[in-house]
Amino acid sequence: MKTNIKKDIRGRYKGSFLGILWSFLNPLLQVLVYYFVFPYLMRGAIPNYMVYLITGMIPWNYFLVTVTSGTTAIKANGGILKKVYFPREILLVSQVCSGWINFMISCVIILIFCLVFGVGFSWQLILVPIISLIEAVFIMGIILILGAINVYVQDVEYIVQFILNMAFYATPVIYSLEQFQGASGLLFNLVKLNPMTMLIDAYRDCFLYHVWPNWTNLIIVFTMGLVITIIGFWVFKKLEKGFAEEL
C-alpha cells in the first residue's frame, strides 16, 4: 500500500519540470480562467468570488482526478495483476489515499487565497480533514464499482468522463446555488441534493464563511458513501475473479 501510494504521487508528475507544484498550478490556472471568463455574470453576485472559486475548484478536482484515475487503475496495472498476487482493492485504495494527500497539499492554496483576499482563518478549519475523509469514503465506493466494471466494459471510462463533465455543471463550483432559486424546482433540487454540492458547501463554510457546516448534510454524504463502498466492495469481489483473464 505504502509503495503504491508513493508510486501514484510520484508517477503523476514524473518527467515534469515543476513536479508536485502542478498540484497547485492546475487548480490555480483553472480558477484564473473562470475568474476572467465570468467577470460580470458571477463575480458581482458572489462576494469574494476568487476565494469562492478556489474553495469549490480544489475539492472538485480532488473528486474528478481520483474518480478518473480510480476507474482505470485496474486496467493500468494489468501486467502486475497477472504476475503477483495481492489484494486487488489496494490499487483503488492507494488512488484514494494519494488523491487525499494531493488535496491536503492543495489546501495550502486556499489558505493563501483566504489570507491575500482578507477572508482570514477560523477554528472551523479543523474540520477540513474530516470533510475530506468523508469525500474519500464517497469516492472509494464509486471507484470500487467503476474500476471493476471497466475491466469488462472498456467504454466505462469514456462514459465516466462524460458524466463527470456534466456533473461539474450540476455542482455549484463556479456559480451559487441561490442563483437557481428562480429556476424550476426539479433543477434546483437536483443541484441541492448532489452529494458534491453538500461537500463543497461544507468546505466553503470552513474556509470562506467561518461557520460550522451542516452536520445533517455531512452525515447524509458519509452514510451514502459508506453504503456505496459496501456495495462496491461486494461488486469488486464478485468481478475480480476474472480480472487476469480479461486483462
Side-chain angles (χ1 to χ4, degrees), residues 114-126:
C114 289
L115 186 63
V116 171
F117 286 88
V119 173
F121 308 139
S122 69
W123 285 106
Q124 283 78 14
L125 290 176
I126 62 175

Side-chain angles (χ1 to χ4, degrees), residues 126-162:
I126 62 175
L127 290 180
V128 169
I130 296 174
I131 299 169
S132 66
L133 289 174
I134 292 174
E135 185 173 357
V137 173
F138 181 62
I139 294 170
M140 188 74 249
I142 293 173
I143 64 174
L144 276 169
I145 297 171
L146 296 179
I149 295 176
N150 189 53
V151 175
Y152 298 90
V153 184
Q154 297 188 13
D155 293 336
V156 167
E157 57 192 88
Y158 304 109
I159 296 170
V160 167
Q161 193 59 54
F162 172 76

Side-chain angles (χ1 to χ4, degrees), residues 91-226:
L91 294 172
L92 301 180
V93 175
S94 64
Q95 289 292 327
V96 174
C97 291
S98 61
W100 183 83
I101 292 170
N102 269 293
F103 170 74
M104 295 308 293
I105 294 172
S106 298
C107 281
V108 175
I109 302 178
I110 303 178
L111 295 175
I112 292 172
F113 270 67
C114 289
L115 186 63
V116 171
F117 286 88
V119 173
F121 308 139
S122 69
W123 285 106
Q124 283 78 14
L125 290 176
I126 62 175
L127 290 180
V128 169
I130 296 174
I131 299 169
S132 66
L133 289 174
I134 292 174
E135 185 173 357
V137 173
F138 181 62
I139 294 170
M140 188 74 249
I142 293 173
I143 64 174
L144 276 169
I145 297 171
L146 296 179
I149 295 176
N150 189 53
V151 175
Y152 298 90
V153 184
Q154 297 188 13
D155 293 336
V156 167
E157 57 192 88
Y158 304 109
I159 296 170
V160 167
Q161 193 59 54
F162 172 76
I163 292 174
L164 288 172
N165 288 335
M166 296 294 291
F168 174 76
Y169 295 102
T171 308
V173 177
I174 61 175
Y175 61 84
S176 170
L177 182 61
E178 284 68 29
Q179 293 176 285
F180 274 80
Q181 285 182 340
S184 66
L186 177 61
L187 182 60
F188 178 80
N189 288 327
L190 283 175
V191 177
K192 184 178 180 180
L193 296 175
N194 178 354
M196 285 306 299
T197 297
M198 299 180 191
L199 288 169
I200 288 177
D201 282 347
Y203 285 117
R204 284 181 173 141
D205 286 339
C206 296
F207 282 111
L208 180 58
Y209 301 123
H210 300 170
V211 297
W212 298 109
N214 187 315
W215 292 104
T216 302
N217 286 349
L218 290 178
I219 292 171
I220 289 172
V221 178
F222 176 71
T223 304
M224 185 185 302
L226 204 57

Side-chain angles (χ1 to χ4, degrees), residues 74 77-85 88 151-152 239-247:
I74 303 297
N77 290 276
I80 300 174
L81 292 177
K82 292 178 181 179
K83 296 176 182 178
V84 182
Y85 176 78
R88 286 13 184 167
V151 175
Y152 298 90
L239 297 180
E240 74 168 337
K241 299 173 184 177
F243 283 174
E245 291 77 7
E246 291 295 328
L247 294 169

Side-chain angles (χ1 to χ4, degrees), residues 26-55 57 113 116-117 168 173-175 204:
N26 272 329
L28 183 58
L29 292 173
Q30 286 179 298
V31 165
L32 289 175
V33 168
Y34 286 115
Y35 185 73
F36 289 111
V37 167
F38 302 103
Y40 303 105
L41 181 61
M42 302 296 177
R43 190 168 26 178
I46 303 174
N48 295 310
Y49 187 55
M50 181 67 90
V51 181
Y52 185 89
L53 271 177
I54 201 79
T55 50
M57 189 64 68
F113 270 67
V116 171
F117 286 88
F168 174 76
V173 177
I174 61 175
Y175 61 84
R204 284 181 173 141

